Amino acid sequence: MNAEPALRAAIVPGVGALPAEDWTACFPGEAEGWDYYRACGNDRAAAVFDDRGLVLGAPLFRMEYRLDTPLQGRAAAVAQRLGDAVPGLMRWGMLGVGSPLTERCHVAVRPGLSPQDRARALAALLALLEAEAARTGDRLVVFKDVAEPDAGWLAPVLGAHRYAAVGSLPVAVLDLGGCDAAGYLASLSPATRKDLKRKLKSRASVRIEHRSGIDGIAAEIDALYESTRQNSQVRYGEFEDLPDGYFQNVARMQPGRTRFVLYWVGDRLAAFNLLLLQPDRVIDKFLGMAYPLAREHNLYAVSWMENVRFAMESHRPLLQVGQTAYASKLRFGSRLAPSTNFVQCRNGVLNRIIRGAAPWLALDRWDPDLRAFRSRRPDRAS
């Protein structure tokens, strides 16, 4: 019987320290790829190697995670007061696998690896993460936003290592395959179609510009993003923070996969979209708007249809419109692709509590738009 190849697990200084060709082979065509992680300033990754090179790798991040992050509205306000009264109660050190700046947990696995070898490499990665969390004093190790079909092979191994599956925010995706603008509008309910057409009349007063870079307007882009963040009805703490120079760096480091759509009202930049491009989809990554100007000109609806048009004209059948702000996305025909966080606490007693409380800790349970959507469905979950 042939001996299994020896594995070596190590923390490396970011995805950029791994061979670009090995990473790209695991995620061909991915817009949030090797260059994207470098643009985001990712400076830590975990990797497993054998004598042929990279077997498995994943980006890492660290933060002080607030246990009340999933809560919104009045529940969040109560938890905030409790956390302020008892410092340290709500904030736990967290070692995260993935990135706050992606909607998918990228675990790179060598193509063609057998299920047994894949599970063995993952076990080596988990041992490394446990040792690293012990070294840094982090209570939690979290695989953030594991999407299907990755959950199919990750979940059994993570479950065997006492990770709890906790619902994350689903990703909204609009299917546009084989459709033109008229066909898309016809697919909407009569009331939604009428409302959208009415709002699109504002298009006449808006000048739309497509760019690959933001030279000369970077400060305005940052301000519009912050304006939209402050106007949001939901809060997800440090997960909403962007590193300094994020928009400029993404544009500079992957120009062929980045597009900014700018919305001008007169001489004023009233809104922008950052779009990431991959062969099968347009990813509407970030939206920033000036208030109240954007509402006065219905720029959300105008930008939505501009992105639909661009996706169709560039022959990309999917428009991925992200997490949060689900009300309009669902009304405009999006489906929800599920996402899961896998969580382990290094304290055994607390880990059992987390596993039991997993349904209550799920981010998708507390999102107000999702709660309203599910309350209207006859098959809604409890």
Side-chain angles (χ1 to χ4, degrees):
M1 180 180 296
N2 294 330
E4 293 180 330
L7 298 178
R8 177 177 62 87
I11 303 294
V12 299
V15 168
L18 301 173
E21 61 274 14
D22 289 352
W23 187 270
T24 303
C26 299
F27 305 106
E30 187 90 6
E32 296 178 339
W34 190 80
D35 287 323
Y36 179 79
Y37 278 103
R38 293 174 65 231
C40 293
N42 167 254
D43 60 1
R44 300 182 84 216
V48 178
F49 304 92
D50 63 10
D51 56 5
R52 292 174 49 199
L54 181 68
V55 180
L56 185 149
L60 301 179
F61 67 97
R62 291 189 66 235
M63 68 167 53
E64 292 293 312
Y65 179 74
R66 285 193 61 100
L67 297 184
D68 58 345
T69 295
L71 305 180
Q72 303 298 326
R74 294 176 61 185
V78 171
Q80 176 73 47
R81 290 194 293 270
L82 178 61
D84 293 342
V86 188
L89 176 65
M90 287 292 182
R91 288 189 174 273
W92 290 14
M94 184 182 90
L95 176 62
V97 181
S99 171
L101 301 175
T102 67
E103 296 165 353
R104 175 185 175 185
C105 185
H106 289 103
V107 179
V109 181
R110 179 186 293 163
L113 209 62
S114 71
Q116 295 79 10
D117 288 341
R118 189 169 56 190
R120 181 168 167 261
L122 180 57
L125 180 79
L126 297 180
L128 173 68
L129 296 176
E130 184 174 341
E132 180 66 7
R135 185 187 70 81
T136 58
D138 292 320
R139 285 188 183 182
L140 300 174
V141 180
V142 178
F143 282 68
K144 173 191 169 287
D145 286 333
V146 176
E148 297 178 341
D150 297 332
W153 71 269
L154 284 168
V157 182
L158 293 175
H161 284 78
R162 301 180 298 113
Y163 281 77
V166 180
S168 185
L169 294 172
V171 177
V173 181
L174 182 65
D175 295 297
L176 295 169
C179 198
D180 59 12
Y184 164 68
L185 289 171
S187 71
L188 303 176
S189 71
T192 298
R193 182 167 60 250
K194 180 179 179 180
D195 180 57
L196 188 55
K197 286 183 175 181
R198 176 183 63 81
K199 290 178 177 177
L200 290 176
K201 293 178 181 178
S202 299
R203 171 69 176 80
S205 63
V206 179
R207 176 169 63 88
I208 301 177
E209 178 186 3
H210 286 241
R211 287 193 192 181
S212 60
I214 53 172
D215 290 345
I217 57 169
E220 293 175 80
I221 293 292
D222 290 340
L224 289 174
Y225 171 75
E226 187 60 26
S227 171
T228 298
R229 179 181 170 183
Q230 293 302 321
N231 274 271
S232 174
Q233 296 182 356
V234 295
R235 293 285 188 272
Y236 290 106
E238 293 182 38
F239 289 103
E240 299 175 340
D241 293 343
L242 298 181
D244 292 341
Y246 168 84
F247 293 109
Q248 286 179 300
N249 289 336
V250 170
R252 177 173 56 84
M253 299 190 74
Q254 48 178 39
R257 292 187 173 175
T258 303
R259 177 174 291 233
F260 289 88
V261 188
L262 310 178
Y263 298 85
W264 301 86
V265 176
D267 293 330
R268 184 175 178 186
L269 181 59
F272 82 93
N273 265 131
L274 167 60
L275 306 181
L276 301 181
L277 313 179
Q278 61 188 57
D280 69 331
R281 71 188 61 204
V282 173
I283 300 175
D284 182 355
K285 188 64 180 175
F286 287 114
L287 169 69
M289 297 192 291
Y291 299 93
L293 187 63
R295 291 195 183 98
E296 293 169 357
H297 291 269
N298 297 306
L299 291 187
Y300 185 87
V302 171
S303 68
W304 181 276
M305 279 306 297
E306 178 65 14
N307 292 342
V308 167
R309 181 199 64 77
F310 174 70
M312 290 175 174
E313 291 185 359
S314 61
H315 305 289
R316 293 177 168 95
L318 300 175
L319 176 60
Q320 182 174 313
V321 291
Q323 298 166 306
T324 74
Y326 294 103
S328 294
K329 295 171 183 178
L330 291 167
R331 197 160 60 92
F332 292 163
S334 301
R335 59 177 170 86
L336 298 178
S339 187
T340 305
N341 296 324
F342 289 89
V343 182
Q344 185 200 77
C345 179
R346 292 195 302 112
N347 180 293
V349 174
L350 292 176
N351 196 55
R352 287 193 290 273
I353 293 173
I354 289 173
R355 291 171 69 90
W360 291 91
L361 299 175
L363 276 76
D364 59 340
R365 182 186 185 95
W366 297 98
D367 183 272
D369 290 340
L370 293 178
R371 288 168 69 93
F373 173 67
R374 288 165 179 161
S375 72
R376 296 192 295 268
R377 296 176 60 185
D379 60 338
R380 64 185 181 275
S382 60

